[in-house]
């Protein structure tokens, strides 16, 4: 069966870290009758499904010491070792989506999805939209996110957190460039986020792009 037809109920909200994907996804879910596929949570399940043969980059990442994942390498090296850059995680996402009910739209909130991967599965171009933050917006978002030492340690271990953040920002800049390149080739929409638009405004915009405007979330008191 054609995958694009089987996934016609899916809307893809992907793009760079710190762009507000999760915030926007939650806002859409509050207003429309949709399910959310949280890529960050789903990634935890990939651990038990990956193998050294089929997902060598993911396997290497999972078995690397915490500090080694960020410190001691360049941003370019970290970018080039990303499992998703090599298509190792997208199959997991598709398998998960096919296993979910198809009776209402599913919003995929996933950093790892690339335009070239998702393009063959779309029924209309705006079924997938990529959010990319400006450097200033991302810098502010990530510094706020990792101001909590426990959260920083959970992501970067006990290495130099300032170095890790700088590497993270450098890697994400390279990831954004790859998304822009692939989106241009696949003629898919990219939305730049700089903080000038509120969540409500963006949710209105994306409800139209995703054809959700006529789907209201049922109220508990109805």
């Amino acid at each position: 069966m054609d995958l694009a037809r089987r996934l016609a109920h899916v809307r893809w909200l992907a793009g760079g870290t710190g762009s507000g994907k999760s915030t926007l996804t939650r806002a859409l879910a509050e207003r429309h009758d949709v399910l959310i596929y949280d890529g960050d949570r789903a990634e935890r399940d990939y651990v038990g499904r990956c193998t050294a043969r089929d997902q060598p980059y993911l396997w290497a990442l999972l078995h690397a010491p915490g500090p080694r994942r960020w410190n001691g390498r360049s941003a370019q090296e970290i970018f080039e070792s990303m499992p998703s850059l090599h298509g190792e995680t997208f199959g997991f996402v598709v398998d998960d989506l096919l296993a979910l009910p198809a009776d209402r739209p599913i919003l995929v909130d996933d950093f790892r999805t690339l335009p070239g991967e998702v393009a063959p599965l779309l029924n209309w171009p705006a079924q997938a939209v990529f959010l990319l933050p400006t450097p200033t917006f991302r810098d502010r978002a990530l510094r706020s996110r990792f101001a909590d030492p426990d959260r920083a340690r959970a992501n970067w271990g006990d290495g130099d957190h300032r170095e890790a953040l700088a590497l993270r920002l450098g890697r994400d800049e390279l990831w954004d460039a790859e998304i822009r390149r692939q989106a241009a080739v696949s003629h898919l929409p990219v939305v730049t986020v700089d903080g000038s638009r509120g969540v409500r405004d963006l949710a209105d915009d994306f409800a139209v792009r995703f054809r959700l405007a006529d789907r209201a979330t049922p109220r508990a008191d109805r």
Side-chain angles (χ1 to χ4, degrees):
M1 187 180 295
D2 178 55
L3 270 180
R5 181 160 57 86
R6 294 181 65 187
L7 297 175
H9 61 294
V10 176
R11 277 67 163 168
W12 305 81
L13 185 53
T17 57
S19 59
K21 297 184 301 299
S22 296
T23 300
L24 179 55
T25 300
R26 287 192 297 268
L28 288 167
E30 288 172 359
R31 297 164 57 177
H32 306 283
D33 185 21
V34 300
L35 293 174
I36 293 177
Y37 178 83
D38 185 330
D40 288 342
R41 291 186 178 181
E43 184 187 35
R44 302 169 190 169
D45 185 53
Y46 303 165
V47 174
R49 296 156 67 184
C50 77
T51 67
R53 184 192 66 181
D54 295 332
Q55 292 86 23
Y57 287 93
L58 181 56
W59 185 268
L61 179 64
L62 293 172
H63 291 82
R68 176 60 183 162
R69 297 181 184 182
W70 291 99
N71 301 107
R73 297 190 294 167
S74 68
Q76 182 70 39
E77 289 172 325
I78 296 171
F79 167 70
E80 291 175 355
S81 69
M82 292 175 67
S84 298
L85 181 64
H86 302 277
E88 292 187 359
T89 57
F90 191 66
F92 293 142
V93 177
V94 172
D95 288 344
D96 288 348
L97 293 173
L98 292 173
L100 291 174
D103 58 335
R104 52 181 166 152
I106 297 175
L107 291 180
V108 176
D109 168 13
D110 188 42
F111 158 75
R112 299 155 198 83
T113 295
L114 284 168
E117 295 173 317
V118 76
L121 305 182
L122 303 181
N123 292 270
W124 73 94
Q127 191 179 347
V129 182
F130 294 83
L131 289 182
L132 294 179
T134 62
T136 300
F137 189 88
R138 169 181 282 134
D139 185 90
R140 184 167 61 246
L142 293 192
R143 288 187 187 279
S144 175
R145 180 183 301 179
F146 294 112
D148 177 2
D150 291 335
R151 186 169 187 177
R153 190 174 298 109
N155 281 266
W156 299 323
D158 294 320
D160 186 333
H161 292 173
R162 289 177 298 179
E163 178 190 1
L165 177 57
L167 290 168
R168 171 71 176 267
L169 292 169
R171 182 210 68 173
D172 288 347
E173 184 178 349
L174 294 168
W175 182 254
D176 286 3
E178 180 64 18
I179 288 175
R180 288 191 185 278
R181 184 188 70 79
Q182 291 195 20
V185 172
S186 300
H187 304 290
L188 296 182
V190 170
V191 173
T192 299
V193 178
D194 61 6
S196 62
R197 299 177 66 185
V199 174
R200 181 181 295 274
D201 181 27
L202 284 169
D204 288 341
D205 178 5
F206 276 69
V208 174
R209 292 174 184 265
F210 287 156
R211 302 178 181 176
L212 301 175
D214 60 344
R215 299 187 62 88
T217 298
R219 290 175 52 186
D221 58 352
R222 284 182 181 172

